[in-house]
Amino acid sequence: MEIDFKLGQKILDAVNTSGCQDISMLDVDVLPRPDGKDIFTLDKNIKFRITKENADRILSEFKISTQVLSNVQKDGETLIFDFENLRILGLHLIPYLSYGVLNGGMATSYGDVTNNSKFNAELFKDAQIQFDRLSASAKDKPKGITPAFINPDGTNGFDFLELKMRSILLNILESQSVTGKGKDAYQYAMFQMTSHNTDSKLREKYKEYKNSPILKELIEKTGIDITQPESAIQPLIPVFTHTQDGYPLSFFKKKDGTIYALPGGHGQNFFVLKEVYKKLLEKGKRFVYLGNVDNIGFTISPVELAILALSGRHASFDFSFKTPVDVKGGILVREKSGR
């Protein structure tokens, strides 16, 4: 497989430069709570305030009738959107949205005995037979085309990608019923970033998804063939030696002397997907989602889409409270500077 040594060297040089400098620690003030201004809890009690002038301007930008404001509570010149108001507005914004998945990962961690047994060794021992069966079925597969759940009878559920596609189509179907717009307004509804390890396997699986029992009817009803997403392949970059071995870092080599390479981080999406993003913009898209394909909680929310549009912010992030089984990811903090 082709390794992007030029990119790898550029990143390595940057890491070595920063590694030799003093790194200031975060000056943490608080672990912030939802405040209705910067951080929202997406529940039925949500309220979003905006001036009528700004709301009208945003509706005009997206060619949405002011009729959607008819049930919004008013306080003088301020509009107070509740959950349902935001949901309806979000459905009107779905035609301007494309949903992206990070599809470059293989299902290696799913079959990793060491990591999976750490949480509860006794429980793992009791489930060893089922685990071995499932890990064998996920071997050498991209994460996206492995089962997202297990049925009560022990059989495999639908794949992560099937659920993602179903979620997109359900949102489009509901949006179509609200806006009255046809299929042309909802094309380019999905995109992905793959890797050299996953791309061909995903393309083959997409052919099967056209006849998926949870997708086929929705594809026909919406007129959207969700199984043909816009796509770009993330290059492999050389792995670096560990920081504990000291700076400067270098390319890590296997025992046979060859360079070990993996797909880069998620931040690479900005240049890997550059042409995809440009195309989506040309086709009228103004919002994108981007997240891991195997994150079950990563789905479209018309409510948060509406908040992003009304706020005028460039981006927003989904957070959830960590649980004992969340072994990866960080937490939200606020520095004393206010950031």
Side-chain angles (χ1 to χ4, degrees):
M1 292 183 185
E2 187 175 343
I3 301 173
D4 193 333
F5 284 100
K6 185 176 180 180
L7 174 61
Q9 189 63 54
K10 183 178 179 180
I11 298 173
L12 180 62
D13 291 341
V15 171
N16 280 330
T17 299
S18 64
C20 297
Q21 300 172 348
D22 290 331
I23 301 175
S24 59
M25 298 296 290
L26 287 174
D27 192 7
V28 177
D29 181 21
V30 294
L31 302 182
R33 308 294 297 182
D35 56 12
K37 179 176 176 291
D38 293 316
I39 307 171
F40 296 86
T41 300
L42 300 184
D43 61 19
K44 298 293 183 181
N45 297 317
I46 192 171
K47 302 289 183 184
F48 186 91
R49 291 169 170 79
I50 186 174
T51 65
K52 186 176 185 306
E53 180 183 3
N54 284 337
D56 286 341
R57 176 178 53 78
I58 292 161
L59 292 181
S60 176
E61 180 182 345
F62 293 101
K63 299 179 176 62
I64 299 172
S65 170
T66 54
Q67 184 65 30
V68 301
L69 303 178
S70 59
N71 293 322
V72 178
Q73 182 183 345
K74 299 176 180 63
D75 181 10
E77 290 301 307
T78 299
L79 299 179
I80 306 172
F81 284 76
D82 62 18
F83 184 92
E84 186 60 17
N85 302 146
L86 292 167
R87 192 183 72 83
I88 295 299
L89 175 56
L91 290 173
H92 280 273
L93 292 168
I94 293 292
Y96 300 94
L97 171 70
S98 189
Y99 180 94
V101 288
L102 297 165
N103 236 342
M106 298 290 284
T108 50
S109 60
Y110 296 173
D112 189 315
V113 173
T114 302
N115 282 327
N116 281 286
S117 61
K118 279 182 180 178
F119 175 66
N120 187 316
E122 187 175 343
L123 176 62
F124 182 83
K125 184 178 179 180
D126 289 340
Q128 181 87 48
I129 294 176
Q130 293 93 326
F131 175 83
D132 289 344
R133 179 183 64 79
L134 287 167
S135 62
S137 68
K139 187 177 180 181
D140 297 326
K141 284 186 178 181
K143 290 179 181 180
I145 60 176
T146 58
F149 62 93
I150 307 167
N151 291 309
D153 63 359
T155 58
N156 292 345
F158 295 109
D159 296 344
F160 286 105
L161 266 173
E162 280 179 286
L163 297 186
K164 299 299 183 197
M165 292 175 175
R166 179 177 183 271
S167 171
I168 297 168
L169 292 175
L170 286 173
N171 275 278
I172 289 175
L173 188 64
E174 188 173 11
S175 176
Q176 287 176 331
S177 70
V178 169
T179 66
K181 292 183 177 181
K183 63 181 182 180
D184 290 348
Y186 297 89
Q187 301 300 325
Y188 305 97
M190 182 178 172
F191 66 97
Q192 64 175 355
M193 182 168 77
T194 66
S195 69
H196 289 284
N197 288 329
T198 65
D199 191 72
S200 61
K201 293 176 181 178
L202 289 167
R203 277 190 276 113
E204 286 301 311
K205 193 67 176 180
Y206 281 147
K207 296 175 184 177
E208 298 178 25
Y209 287 151
K210 289 181 186 293
N211 293 309
S212 164
I214 61 171
L215 296 177
K216 186 176 181 180
E217 186 178 352
L218 285 170
I219 290 173
E220 293 171 354
K221 283 184 176 180
T222 59
I224 307 299
D225 186 354
I226 202 70
T227 67
Q228 293 184 323
E230 296 297 311
S231 185
I233 300 175
Q234 183 179 22
L236 295 175
I237 59 174
V239 172
F240 305 155
T241 53
H242 201 286
T243 54
Q244 68 184 14
D245 296 327
Y247 286 90
L249 308 184
S250 59
F251 292 151
F252 178 83
K253 294 182 179 180
K254 293 184 281 188
K255 289 182 179 180
D256 62 4
T258 58
I259 298 292
Y260 190 65
L262 290 171
H266 295 167
Q268 280 193 303
N269 85 88
F270 290 107
F271 72 86
V272 174
L273 292 169
K274 181 179 178 180
E275 294 305 313
V276 171
Y277 289 145
K278 286 169 65 176
K279 182 175 182 178
L280 293 175
L281 189 62
E282 291 168 0
K283 298 299 181 180
K285 302 302 179 182
R286 295 296 179 266
F287 304 96
V288 295
Y289 270 91
L290 187 66
N292 283 327
V293 68
D294 58 338
N295 182 343
I296 294 179
F298 166 52
T299 55
I300 294 172
S301 165
V303 171
E304 67 181 4
L305 180 58
I307 290 175
L308 179 60
L310 292 172
S311 70
R313 304 289 177 92
H314 290 164
S316 64
F317 297 85
D318 280 351
F319 287 89
S320 61
F321 292 107
K322 295 190 77 167
T323 70
V325 295
D326 292 320
V327 296
K328 296 168 70 175
I331 60 172
L332 184 65
V333 301
R334 177 174 284 141
E335 294 184 271
K336 288 184 179 177
S337 66
R339 296 188 61 174

